[in-house]
Amino acid sequence: MDRLPLNRSVVTERGARLADATGFDSLSLAAVARSFGVQTPSLYSHVKDLADLRDGITALALGELAANIGEAIAGRSKKDALVGFAITHRQYSTEHPGRWASLQRRAGQAAVDTDAARRIVQVTDAVLIGYDIAGPDRTHATRIIGSALSGFLNLERSGSFAHSLPPAEQSWPELIDALDFLLTHWHNRGTARQKATP
C-alpha cells in the first residue's frame, strides 16, 4: 500500500480496509503499522490503542451506512423506505464485512457520541415516522428492526441458512414483509395481546 501522511482519519480508514480484508476481530495496530511501513508506536499520535481504533472504525461505518441509507430512503415512506433501509444494510454487510462486524459489538462511548451515530438514529427515525411511530415506541421499534436485520444478515453470512430450503434469498423479502406488517399494525399490539391472554 502507498505511504501516506498519517493522521487519525487515514489510520482509521486503513484499519477499516484491513478489517474488511482480513476480519475485524483479527485487526491489530501492528498490522496497520506494517501496511504503512512504520513501527507501531508511530500510530500512537493518532489513535490511543486498539480499542480507540476499533471505535474509530465503528464511527466510520456508522457514517457511511447512514449516508447510504439517507440516499436509499430519500423521497420514500412506509414500506418503500423500509425496503431501502433493509437493502442498504444487506449491501453494506456484503461489501464491507469488517466494518459491518464493527457494528455488531458494544461500542465505546467515543463512537456512541459521534455525529455518525446521531445520523443513524435520524435515518432510522425517518423510516419509523412514516409508520406514525413516535416517543418511547420508536426505541422499541428500532431495536426490533435492528435485531431482525442483524440477526438475519449475520446468520446468512455465517452459512447458517445454507443447509435448508428454500434459499435465504427467498426468506429475505418475507422478513421485510413481516417487519412492514408489524410496523403498520404497531398501534394494534395491545389489542392483539389482550385477545391472546387466556
Side-chain angles (χ1 to χ4, degrees):
M1 296 183 180
D2 297 334
R3 290 289 295 271
L4 295 170
L6 297 187
N7 57 47
R8 182 175 178 83
S9 177
V10 168
V11 171
T12 301
E13 173 63 30
R14 181 62 58 86
R17 288 170 58 187
L18 289 174
D20 285 339
T22 64
F24 182 76
D25 290 339
S26 64
L27 183 67
S28 68
L29 288 176
V32 176
R34 281 196 302 273
S35 77
F36 288 116
V38 301
Q39 297 297 312
T40 302
S42 299
L43 301 183
Y44 292 134
S45 297
H46 313 292
V47 292
K48 291 186 296 185
D49 49 27
L50 181 59
D52 187 33
L53 175 61
R54 286 178 169 168
D55 278 345
I57 294 171
T58 297
L60 174 66
L62 287 170
E64 291 175 341
L65 185 58
N68 293 348
I69 291 170
E71 291 180 7
I73 69 173
R76 300 181 179 182
S77 64
K78 293 192 175 180
K79 188 176 182 180
D80 285 342
L82 178 64
V83 169
F85 183 87
I87 289 176
T88 301
H89 277 78
R90 197 179 193 195
Q91 290 174 337
Y92 196 81
S93 72
T94 300
E95 295 170 2
H96 299 291
R99 299 174 209 215
W100 174 257
S102 79
L103 302 176
Q104 313 306 307
R105 56 187 274 275
R106 179 170 180 167
Q109 196 63 41
V112 174
D113 290 338
T114 59
D115 287 340
R118 285 186 282 274
R119 288 196 297 274
I120 278 287
V121 173
Q122 290 169 352
V123 294
T124 304
D125 284 351
V127 174
L128 297 178
I129 288 171
Y131 288 97
D132 195 29
I133 298 175
D137 277 355
R138 197 176 293 170
T139 300
H140 300 313
T142 296
R143 290 171 177 169
I144 290 169
I145 294 172
S147 298
L149 293 180
S150 292
F152 186 100
L153 294 173
N154 291 337
L155 288 170
E156 183 180 37
R157 289 190 57 77
S158 70
S160 296
F161 298 150
H163 304 292
S164 62
L165 294 174
E169 192 63 37
Q170 293 183 25
S171 297
W172 176 250
E174 298 291 341
L175 173 67
I176 296 175
D177 284 348
L179 288 173
D180 174 62
F181 183 86
L182 169 65
L183 298 175
T184 298
H185 299 279
W186 184 267
H187 299 294
N188 298 326
R189 292 173 0 273
T191 302
R193 279 197 294 265
Q194 289 174 0
K195 290 182 178 179
T197 301

